[in-house]
Amino acid sequence: MPEAIADPVRPAASRAASTGNQQFLLTPGPLTTSLGVKQAMLKDWGSRDPAFIALNADIRHRLVTIAAASGGAAASGGNDFVCVPVQGSGTFAIEATLGTLVPPDGKLLVLVNGAYGERMMKIMQRLGRRATALTVAEDKTHDLGEVQSTLQGDPAITHVAAVHCETTSGILNPIEPIADQVHAEGRALIVDAMSSFGALPLDAAALSCAAVVASSNKCLEGAPGMGYAIVRQDVLAGCEGNSPSLALDLFDQWRAMEGNGQWRFTPPTHVMAAFHQALIEHEAEGGVPGRYRRYRQNCDILIEGMQKLGFRPLLPAASQAPVIVTFHMPADPRFDFKSFYDRLAALGYVIYPGKLTVAPSFRIGCIGQVMPEDMQNAVATIASVLEDMGVQDCGPASTGERA
Ligand SMILES: Cc1ncc(COP(=O)(O)O)c(C=O)c1O
């Protein structure tokens, strides 16, 4: 039997009060938000009102600043980069960016090592745009030599799309060397930073990428419902007429917003108000380095605790992003994921099924309004649930090895 760490610990009353939640979402999103973020949604906003226009402008400015971790050109307030928000989830922003930036005669190379890279390929097919995938296994990162030879071998490729943290597995893709390679080959890079933006360092200007795409949810800890692209202004200026979509045309959205500060169509006002509060809380935590520190601590507590219980993480430490951790499903027949999930949820911790194609797995997230003490309590609760279920062996079916 795995070593029991402690008695099950429900989220402490003080923590439940500070988030307004009885449950913590240890998932890739939607995530646990603070009470302040939830309370910010209690007010109604007029979408054409100067107060909302100012809130919108401040959010866009803050996002461009976050995108320039080193305080480079993008931090100057938007001379090089602009933030274009779109209604909807992260996928809407990805689709808007691909449809606007890759012209009808362009071609996209997608670096695929999980479901979100695959999704970009699907989007390109739906848009009727040319795309090719360079695919590696879900627990591997791309060989840069192969990226280079693919680009050199296909001059039709105009753009490259890469996922920063591929949330399918939790793997951290080496975005800096990828960006260098793409830049050296004279192509434009689009980064899906959905599950990393605001917590993992990323400097859009230093990477010289064309666009970084993320959402209000995930590491910035807002409510879901709005996505955005932070786009190099000179690139976007050349994209008029590219998009086959009216609602998801980033160029039109940008031009309209620059013109009168307003959204073209009904904005997600409450989501924006919550996001503004979330960005203030992000700054108060110390911005990207502060948030990274807490997520790193959460991730270390999780992995160490789960390994003590006998679970085997999919990824080696070097490629594990402190965002979400994939664990192999235990071989022990007494381990039933549904029952494990239901018991944990009843005790206040919501985890996530696996998304791997290669091995049975489940995932536990480290992001959102989750503190290290919550993570310690979650691991203690997992230990007691396993004991309750009579699970004695948390090693994976594939190797039977212990972590
Ligand atoms: C890396 C990545 N890209 C894209 C998405 C899609 O975002 P959404 O589910 O908000 O549409 C996700 C969602 O988890 C993600 O993790």
Side-chain angles (χ1 to χ4, degrees), residues 298-382:
N298 286 349
C299 187
D300 291 347
I301 290 167
L302 175 67
I303 291 181
E304 198 186 313
M306 293 293 277
Q307 281 181 324
K308 273 193 189 153
L309 293 170
F311 287 96
R312 167 70 64 94
L314 172 78
L315 298 171
S319 57
Q320 173 70 62
V323 170
I324 191 162
V325 182
T326 298
F327 295 99
H328 286 283
M329 203 67 92
D332 190 324
R334 281 160 293 203
F335 185 90
D336 170 62
F337 180 73
K338 178 150 186 356
S339 165
F340 181 63
Y341 176 98
D342 289 345
R343 287 166 191 245
L344 281 174
L347 289 165
Y349 302 98
V350 175
I351 61 167
Y352 221 62
K355 207 176 169 78
L356 291 188
T357 53
V358 290
S361 62
F362 66 93
R363 291 176 289 171
I364 301 185
C366 327
I367 58 179
Q369 255 307 287
V370 173
M371 301 295 154
E373 71 181 90
D374 303 319
M375 212 37 120
Q376 267 152 0
N377 290 344
V379 172
T381 303
I382 288 170

Side-chain angles (χ1 to χ4, degrees), residues 28 89-92 94 116 119 163 165-167 192 194-195 215 218:
S89 79
T91 305
F92 290 62
I94 297 276
Y116 297 105
R119 189 174 295 175
V163 183
C165 167
E166 183 35 276
T167 328
D192 171 352
M194 206 65 67
S195 64
S215 78
K218 311 255 191 272

